[in-house]
Amino acid sequence: MKIKHLTFLALAFAFGNESLYAQKKGKPLFPEQPGMVSYTFRNSLGKNTAATLDTLKTLGIKDMEFSSLFGKTAADLRKLLDERGIKCSSFGVGYADALNKTQEVGQNAKALGASFVRVAWVPHTGPFTLEAAEKTVADFNKIGKQLKEEFGLTFCYHNHGYEFEKHGDGTLMDYIIQKTDPKYVSFELDMLWAFFPGQDPAALIEKYPGRFKLVHMKDLKKGVKGNLSGGTPVENDVALGTGQLDIPTILRAAKKSSIKHFYIEDESPSYATQVPQTIAYLKSLTY
């Protein structure tokens, strides 16, 4: 889809269809403007970064998490963001780069103006195991310590579903949270990837109210059944409030926790229409 079409749809849904969600009386549950994960707009950002950032500005986005530099240097991307009044608060990288290129990752994150560095996938084959979790804990503590001490950055791990294999009285996700050093390792909750493997995202936040710093807000298409694979077709991402997740309950738990940044992530090909719909839904929520 061309950038100009994105802009048109964004304007139409964000400003022309406010009646889509009737505003209720009461205190707004989510009064702030949500942030955005760059992966949502990955195709258009790769083709025309500046024009896509213009679209995001039109949507009112002022906070972003980038998972790619889109062929630019961190400094050049930062310049484009600064020109539009958009901040990059979190920088997502792959596990191998976080572990083996920690210095470069830290430098890029600082150049972008980010406060957080995030990893969203632990390489593994087959079901996630205790052995894999043990290595993950050791690696995360090492990465987090270097990023904190050398760059003042907070390292976060983004759950992806497979970590909820049973372990003892809980799961391997519990193991990772409990065994990592809270001085150096925090977490980013992905709502969908907690719900998909059968967990309660709100309960997870409440269990560890001080460990989650970031959240990906996304919803799962009705009728889709989850599993522990860590994968589902991107078409199963739907606009917030139209899927299976209890978004208000999750947000209420998040507001009481240590979560600082709320990002929309929509991996579906329908993101151009679904993102404005999601923003309108968030504005409609009240206590």
Side-chain angles (χ1 to χ4, degrees):
M1 183 176 290
K2 293 182 179 179
I3 299 296
K4 63 181 181 181
H5 292 156
L6 278 173
T7 305
F8 174 78
L9 286 169
L11 286 167
F13 276 84
F15 303 111
N17 289 333
E18 290 185 358
S19 61
L20 182 64
Y21 292 105
Q23 296 295 312
K24 301 176 182 179
K25 292 182 179 180
K27 182 181 177 183
L29 175 57
F30 197 87
E32 65 267 44
Q33 190 70 9
M36 182 67 64
V37 181
S38 70
Y39 194 74
T40 301
F41 285 77
R42 58 196 178 278
N43 293 326
S44 55
L45 278 167
K47 293 174 183 175
N48 193 328
T49 308
T52 306
L53 291 176
D54 287 338
T55 295
L56 288 163
K57 181 180 178 181
T58 298
L59 283 167
I61 300 300
K62 297 180 180 179
D63 182 23
M64 291 191 67
E65 179 180 71
F66 276 84
S67 304
S68 170
L69 297 177
F70 297 100
K72 299 183 174 2
T73 66
D76 286 343
L77 183 55
R78 171 71 179 274
K79 184 174 184 293
L80 290 173
L81 291 169
D82 287 347
E83 289 170 351
R84 290 159 179 82
I86 301 173
K87 175 180 174 58
C88 169
S89 51
S90 177
F91 181 45
V93 299
Y95 190 106
D97 282 354
L99 182 61
N100 302 316
K101 299 180 180 179
T102 317
Q103 188 82 15
E104 179 183 330
V105 166
Q107 291 169 348
N108 282 336
K110 293 297 286 187
L112 286 169
S115 300
F116 299 89
V117 168
R118 180 264 287 157
V119 163
W121 187 269
V122 178
H124 63 284
T125 302
F128 198 62
T129 64
L130 176 59
E131 183 181 11
E134 290 171 339
K135 182 180 186 303
T136 297
V137 166
D139 288 345
F140 282 0
N141 282 334
K142 178 178 181 292
I143 295 164
K145 187 173 190 292
Q146 185 175 351
L147 288 173
K148 179 64 72 176
E149 293 183 349
E150 294 185 19
F151 299 97
L153 295 163
T154 298
F155 175 71
C156 289
Y157 174 60
H158 163 300
N159 62 284
H160 224 289
Y162 53 79
E163 322 87 335
F164 293 98
E165 293 281 353
K166 290 189 179 301
H167 173 69
D169 294 331
T171 69
L172 289 175
M173 184 67 183
D174 288 309
Y175 180 88
I176 292 171
I177 294 174
Q178 293 166 10
K179 295 295 183 180
T180 47
D181 189 335
K183 293 197 302 288
Y184 302 124
V185 181
S186 295
F187 294 86
E188 177 174 67
L189 176 73
D190 187 295
M191 295 179 179
L192 185 151
W193 290 119
F195 179 85
F196 193 79
Q199 302 297 307
D200 179 341
L204 188 62
I205 296 171
E206 290 166 352
K207 187 174 183 179
Y208 303 106
R211 296 303 300 276
F212 292 96
K213 307 300 182 187
L214 315 170
V215 64
H216 278 187
M217 301 186 293
K218 55 203 297 190
D219 210 342
L220 179 67
K221 185 178 180 180
K222 290 180 179 178
V224 174
K225 293 185 177 181
N227 53 53
L228 288 162
S229 67
T232 191
V234 294
E235 290 80 9
N236 289 336
D237 276 26
V238 295
L240 293 187
T242 67
Q244 299 182 47
L245 276 71
D246 183 352
I247 304 298
T249 297
I250 299 169
L251 288 178
R252 281 193 289 269
K255 293 284 187 172
K256 296 176 183 177
S257 76
S258 58
I259 292 171
K260 299 179 182 297
H261 296 273
F262 294 77
Y263 307 110
I264 294 169
E265 184 178 40
D266 189 331
E267 301 185 28
S268 83
S270 303
Y271 70 96
T273 53
Q274 289 185 178
V275 164
Q277 190 177 353
T278 285
I279 293 173
Y281 169 76
L282 288 170
K283 289 180 179 179
S284 77
L285 295 176
T286 58
Y287 280 102

